[in-house]
Structures are given as structure tokens and as C-alpha cells.
């Protein structure tokens, strides 16, 4: 009988990651997919299953929104009995969200072996909830599936190197596979009346950037600086929308050249990233996607886990400094040339390597 793996996903980037892994994993083990329900709006959840085709979750926990404690607690109380009922040989978690944390804690408390995809990423900033989730998941995991050489080094430094396997980045698999599909199928440029290289695309959702009204105002100043040069397309995450609405800023953005939209599906977002003059973001995934598309990126953070994007010269950390926009854009390469090395992130074969490492481990 093949081993049974209980995989926990819960929010937008994890649906993308599962799309790279589940198919390969199911060739080797029996996988049961659980959706915690941390992200529940169709444009943050359903659309990714439709477009990218990971298997539909066998179980949904419907935890919804809440404080970190509420959300994590709901995952614990709902996942623990489900895990006992399913009786897996191991749990698999992705990334750094509260769904990752909940899954990792349930595995540890239920004495189930744990594997972590995207192990070893570190920002060095413990004020980020994601950093805490990463540290806990890695220290509780028996199999650490690390996307990059930097992640491997971080794990060695923490004494976790022996449990680590370098697989490449599973999100890069999807970006490389779906990029040309998005160029062909997405009609977002026509719908929004945009010319290739004639606009910026921006995203923001980090609590440190969008929860505090003063920081959010600065963030809008950064986007406004870019909008002086070309229109900024800004698909707004629900957390960010809430901040903009409560400060009364949302309605004025159009007049400043910032065109807000609902959160976009994978294909439309990918098309925008690949056709943009540059990307402005605080998302980890979007930094990599612009790197892989050879589009320059301005990152609205002071540190990044994806250091290779910066070292290669395609990404700059500008924090929330509006005055840095113009000068940084002048210094970054032009979009499209020369193409960055996709091999840094595994060249599109990470999902296969994750599945192979899981099968070896579960023997
Ligand atoms: C979470 C992850 C973050 C990840 C991001 C991807 C944690 C701690 N953070 O952040 O690592 O990069 O997802 O998007 O797990 N909301 C909706 N509809 C939804 C989901 C959320 O309206 O479908 C609203 C809720 O009001 C909530 C807010 O968005 O308060 C934030 O959602 P939450 O799950 O807390 O975290 P994210 O900011 O999305």
C-alpha cells in the first residue's frame, strides 16, 4: 500500500504551490488535500483551482478570517480530529502562513511526521508573522524541502541541515509553465486598455505596510511617484482594501494614476507582470515571478527572503521611500533582456523533486 500524505493548504500562494506538487506526488503516494479556508473569497481561492488545476480539496475546514490566535486555534481544533480520522503517514505543509503553522502544530501534537515545502526561507525580521511561522514549521519538520542554496545555508546554520533537501522553488515551476499560457489566453491588457511596457503593476498586503494608516499613506506615495511616469495597475488585496477604505483613500487613487482592481486570477496577474515596465510589490511570490519574467522589481520592504533576485540586479529593496522610485528605475535593467537564470529556482523541476524526496523519505 502506498503511504498516505495529508497536505494542508489555506491561502492564495499555497494553491499555486500545490498545483506544482500534487500531480507529481499523487503518482507516488496517496494524497489527501485539506483546505483550511483561511482564504475563502472566490478571487483569492476558487480561481486558482480553476486556472491551475491542483486537485480539489477532499476536506474544507472553513476557518475564515480572524486574529492570528483565532485563525490558528480554529485550524488546530478542526484539523486535529480530521488527521486522527484520516490516519496519514505524514503531513505536508507549504510556506509561511497561519495554515502552515496550524498544520505543523497538529502534526507535532499528533506525533505525525512533518514535511515542509519552502523550508529555510528567512527574512531575519521576527516582527513578521510569516517569519515566526517559518521558524516553527522548520523546527518541527523531519523533512525540509528547501527552494534555494540560501535556504539550505540558513537551515545548516540553525543545525537543521541534515533534514534538508534542495528541491528548487515550486512556485517557479508554475510561473515558467503558465507564463506563455497567460500571454496567449489572458485578455487583461485589452480589458484595461494597456500597452505592453506602458504601465506598472503593483501589489501590497504585508501587515507591516498596510495595517498602519501612516505606513499605508507612504505606500500610496510610492505608487503615486511611479504613476507620474506611467499608469499603475493595482489589484487590491482584501487586507489592503480594508485599510484604504477606513482611511478614505481608496476613491482618490484613480485621480493619481493608480488604477485599482479586484484581486486578479493567476493568468491575468501573470500576464500583467510579464508585460509591465516594472513591478512594485511587497509579495515574495511576485518578486520571483517578475525575476523569472525578466521584469525589474521594486520591493516595498527592507529585507527579502528571495535574495537571488536582488543579487542578480533585477530587484531592489526600496522600503516605503517615494524618492527612491525614479532613481531605482533608472538603474535597473530594461524588461526582457538579458533573461535571468531560472535555474537558481530549480528550472521548473521543483514539484517533481519534492515528490521524489517525499517518496524516498516515506520509503
Ligand atoms: C496571508 C498570509 C501571508 C500570505 C498571504 C497571501 C498569514 C499570517 N499570512 O496573509 O503569509 O502571503 O496570505 O495572500 O497567514 N480576507 C478576505 N477574503 C479572504 C481572505 C481574507 O476578505 O478570502 C480578509 C480578511 O478580512 C482578513 C484579511 O483579508 O482580515 C487578511 O487575511 P489573512 O488570512 O489574515 O492574511 P493575509 O493578509 O491574506
Amino acid at each position: 500500500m502506498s503511504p498516505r500524505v495529508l497536505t494542508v493548504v489555506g491561502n492564495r500562494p499555497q494553491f499555486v504551490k500545490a498545483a506544482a506538487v500534487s500531480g507529481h506526488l499523487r503518482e507516488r503516494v496517496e494524497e489527501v488535500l485539506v483546505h483550511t479556508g483561511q482564504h475563502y473569497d472566490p478571487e483569492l481561492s476558487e480561481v486558482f483551482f480553476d486556472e491551475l488545476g491542483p486537485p480539489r480539496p477532499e476536506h474544507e475546514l472553513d476557518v475564515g478570517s480572524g486574529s492570528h490566535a483565532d485563525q490558528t486555534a480554529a485550524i488546530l481544533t478542526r484539523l486535529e480530529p480530521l488527521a486522527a480520522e484520516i490516519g496519514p503517514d505524514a503531513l505536508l505543509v507549504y510556506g509561511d502562513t497561519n495554515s502552515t503553522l496550524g498544520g505543523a502544530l497538529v502534526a507535532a501534537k499528533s506525533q505525525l511526521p512533518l514535511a515542509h515545502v519552502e523550508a529555510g526561507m528567512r527574512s531575519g525580521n521576527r516582527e513578521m508573522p510569516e517569519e515566526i511561522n517559518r521558524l516553527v514549521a522548520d523546527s518541527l519538520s523531519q523533512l525540509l524541502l528547501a527552494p534555494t542554496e540560501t535556504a539550505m545555508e540558513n537551515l545548516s546554520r540553525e543545525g537543521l541541515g541534515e533534514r534538508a533537501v534542495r528541491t528548487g522553488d515550486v512556485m517557479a515551476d508554475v510561473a515558467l509553465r503558465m507564463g506563455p499560457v497567460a500571454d496567449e489566453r489572458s485578455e487583461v491588457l485589452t480589458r484595461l486598455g494597456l500597452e505592453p511596457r506602458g504601465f506598472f503593476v503593483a501589489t501590497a498586503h504585508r501587515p507591516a505596510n498596510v495595517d498602519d494608516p501612516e505606513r499605508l499613506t507612504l505606500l500610496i506615495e510610492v505608487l503615486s511617484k511611479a504613476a507620474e511616469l506611467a499608469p499603475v495597475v493595482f489589484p487590491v488585496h482584501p487586507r489592503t482594501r480594508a485599510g484604504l477604505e477606513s482611511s478614505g483613500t481608496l476613491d482618490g487613487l484613480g485621480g493619481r494614476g493608480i488604477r485599482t482592481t479586484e484581486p486578479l486570477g493567476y493568468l491575468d496577474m501573470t500576464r500583467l507582470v510579464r508585460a509591465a515596465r516594472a513591478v512594485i510589490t511587497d509579495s515574495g511570490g511576485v518578486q520571483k515571478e517578475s525575476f523569472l519574467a525578466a521584469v525589474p522589481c521594486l520591493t516595498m520592504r527592507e529585507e527579502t527572503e528571495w535574495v537571488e533576485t536582488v543579487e542578480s540586479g533585477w530587484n531592489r529593496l526600496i522600503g516605503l521611500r517615494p524618492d527612491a522610485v525614479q532613481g531605482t528605475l533608472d538603474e535597473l535593467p530594461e524588461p526582457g533582456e538579458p533573461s535571468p537564470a531560472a535555474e537558481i529556482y530549480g528550472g521548473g523541476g521543483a514539484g517533481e523533486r519534492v515528490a521524489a524526496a517525499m517518496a524516498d523519505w516515506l520509503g
Side-chain angles (χ1 to χ4, degrees):
M1 230 172 52
S2 58
R4 182 179 293 168
V5 173
L6 181 60
T7 300
V8 180
V9 294
N11 50 22
R12 185 162 65 171
Q14 292 167 340
F15 311 138
V16 179
K17 291 166 196 174
V21 172
S22 278
H24 297 296
L25 193 59
R26 287 175 187 223
E27 289 169 10
R28 298 162 188 266
V29 307
E30 182 196 344
E31 184 190 44
V32 180
L33 193 65
V34 179
H35 184 336
T36 64
Q38 182 176 350
H39 283 178
Y40 45 87
D41 282 346
E43 65 270 20
L44 293 193
S45 176
E46 189 64 23
V47 64
F48 292 87
F49 288 91
D50 289 346
E51 290 185 347
L52 301 178
R56 295 275 156 182
E58 277 84 13
H59 300 273
E60 308 215 5
L61 304 180
D62 298 324
V63 301
S65 304
S67 70
H68 288 280
D70 283 340
Q71 211 168 43
T72 312
I75 296 170
L76 295 180
T77 49
R78 294 177 200 190
L79 184 60
E80 187 187 60
L82 183 66
E85 187 189 314
I86 293 170
D89 297 290
L91 248 89
L92 174 65
V93 295
Y94 290 98
D96 58 16
T97 73
N98 289 340
S99 297
T100 317
L101 176 68
L105 287 173
V106 166
K109 300 279 179 181
S110 310
Q111 304 197 348
L112 288 166
L114 176 68
H116 182 206
V117 171
E118 216 176 88
M121 303 315 291
R122 298 289 182 267
S123 66
N125 175 1
R126 290 199 179 199
E127 285 176 19
M128 288 174 73
E130 291 86 354
E131 185 80 350
I132 305 302
N133 297 343
R134 292 177 191 129
L135 289 163
V136 174
D138 284 345
S139 74
L140 295 179
S141 292
Q142 284 73 41
L143 179 64
L144 296 164
L145 300 153
T148 62
E149 195 48 45
T150 310
M152 292 293 283
E153 286 161 15
N154 292 339
L155 292 168
S156 293
R157 208 169 32 245
E158 293 173 22
L160 299 172
E162 281 181 12
R163 301 183 217 165
V165 179
R166 182 178 169 186
T167 58
D169 174 48
V170 298
M171 254 183 150
D173 290 15
V174 183
L176 294 169
R177 176 165 61 90
M178 297 305 284
V181 178
D183 291 348
E184 201 183 300
R185 286 204 207 143
S186 166
E187 289 171 359
V188 68
L189 297 189
T190 318
R191 202 165 73 235
L192 298 179
L194 299 165
E195 288 297 325
R197 310 295 175 218
F199 65 95
F200 299 100
V201 61
T203 76
H205 77 276
R206 294 275 160 210
N209 280 345
V210 307
D211 288 359
D212 169 32
E214 277 180 31
R215 302 266 306 159
L216 186 55
T217 303
L218 267 181
L219 188 144
I220 295 302
E221 290 301 322
V222 170
L223 303 192
S224 302
K225 278 286 176 195
E228 288 171 12
L229 308 169
V232 174
V233 181
F234 184 27
V236 186
H237 186 283
R239 174 185 284 281
T240 311
R241 179 171 295 274
L244 291 168
E245 274 170 358
S246 69
S247 63
T249 322
L250 189 62
D251 291 341
L253 294 182
R256 304 170 79 164
I258 302 170
R259 298 179 53 181
T260 60
T261 72
E262 293 301 308
L264 296 172
Y266 191 87
L267 292 177
D268 283 349
M269 186 63 200
T270 299
R271 178 74 185 120
L272 284 179
V273 166
R274 287 164 65 91
R277 172 167 167 189
V279 169
I280 309 172
T281 191
D282 64 8
S283 150
V286 177
Q287 289 173 56
K288 267 178 300 175
E289 281 152 7
S290 67
F291 169 79
L292 291 167
V295 171
C297 183
L298 310 186
T299 295
M300 296 182 286
R301 290 179 53 193
E302 301 297 344
E303 72 279 309
T304 181
E305 301 78 30
W306 304 99
V307 290
E308 304 78 11
T309 59
V310 174
E311 285 163 0
S312 66
W314 285 84
N315 184 12
R316 282 285 183 86
L317 305 174
I318 63 160
L320 295 184
R321 290 181 290 282
D323 291 345
V325 170
Q326 172 82 64
T328 308
L329 280 171
D330 291 344
E331 286 169 24
L332 284 167
E334 292 290 313
E337 291 278 338
S339 179
E343 282 65 35
I344 294 176
Y345 291 124
E352 174 71 50
R353 282 182 222 113
V354 164
M358 291 286 292
D360 275 358
W361 175 56
L362 293 168

